[in-house]
Amino acid sequence: MHVQDSHWSSASAVAPGGAMNPAAGGARGDAARNAPLRVDAQRNLEHVLRAAREVFGELGYGAPMEDVARRARVGVGTVYRRFPSKDVLVRRIAEEETARLTDQARTALGQEDEPWSALSRFLRTSVASGAGRLLPPQVLRVGVPDDTDGGAGGAAAGDARVPQQRIQPGTGELRLVPEEAARSGASTGVAGSVVGDDGAAALLEVVGRLVERARTAGELRPDVSVSDVLLVIATAAPSLPDPAQQAAASARLLDILLEGLRSRPA
């Protein structure tokens, strides 16, 4: 019985004349070689992305690729095979983070009828997720007037986690910075335009709705802008070595900042 089974198994892989049947043995050989590689490649990609979020969250987008590879426990060549340049990796992380923040803001809008509850829910969710440490540069820019741009830097230029921001003159509101202008901040080690304008605009639009609702309801200080809210997310997300200490510090700091955002009776 065993001999017969062996015969039929061999025959199915051999074409007439003794040649290997490519539809049988060859296909099985290719599948055997390729399947483990696909699994390994996917696992390496997940490790690299997780490591990149951690490293960029701790050190800013100026951190070198070698640090990402070391944290992912892969060779730096493996990182570059998936992401041919650091700009590509930074863009991937920033776009994912922007989309995640936008989803969190939409959820708060859809599930909270009370304007202040919606805004505070969005802030608490975003801070707890550590999103502030990965906000893309052209979305989060500390208020610096246009005419100071030539100074390229000020205090913010050395910290890629809180880069410069342009404020629309006379409004205090955040606006997107053109790509060529953003590139002038290359000294920070951050890609000039790390997330598509569509993704950034979607985030600003939905956060703007949260801000406007709370302001109209008289629960938010009238001078608070979208850029202020995004800055709160970045400020209240410190990177501390102990997770419990980090969570406690973030919660405490956010409570203080939320109190500062609320309007007070005259």
Side-chain angles (χ1 to χ4, degrees), residues 35-115:
L37 289 177
R38 286 196 296 268
V39 171
D40 288 347
Q42 180 61 32
R43 184 165 55 244
N44 284 341
L45 175 60
E46 292 169 358
H47 288 167
V48 168
L49 289 173
R50 186 184 308 114
R53 290 187 190 95
E54 293 174 357
V55 170
F56 293 148
E58 294 168 9
L59 304 176
Y61 283 123
M65 292 283 264
E66 288 78 8
D67 284 2
V68 174
R70 194 175 304 113
R71 184 73 61 93
R73 297 185 178 181
V74 298
V76 71
T78 298
V79 180
Y80 278 109
R81 275 195 297 274
R82 301 300 311 212
F83 302 97
S85 72
K86 182 183 169 183
D87 285 359
V88 175
L89 176 58
V90 166
R91 177 179 288 272
R92 170 73 176 265
I93 298 299
E95 286 180 345
E96 289 181 353
E97 205 60 27
T98 300
R100 182 159 66 121
L101 279 172
T102 304
D103 288 343
Q104 290 170 351
R106 285 176 177 150
T107 297
L109 271 173
Q111 297 183 1
E112 296 286 349
D113 294 329
E114 206 277 323

Side-chain angles (χ1 to χ4, degrees), residues 174-218:
L174 181 148
R175 66 180 173 83
L176 291 178
V177 178
E179 183 172 347
E180 58 270 21
R183 286 199 183 109
S184 66
S187 60
T188 64
V190 181
S193 179
V194 298
V195 64
D197 281 354
D198 289 346
L203 173 62
L204 297 180
E205 188 275 332
V206 70
V207 175
R209 288 162 60 193
L210 284 167
V211 168
E212 188 57 35
R213 283 181 59 193
R215 185 188 291 144
T216 301

Side-chain angles (χ1 to χ4, degrees), residues 141-162:
R141 295 180 184 276
V142 182
V144 176
D146 287 359
D147 59 3
T148 65
D149 255 9
D159 186 353
R161 285 174 291 175
V162 188

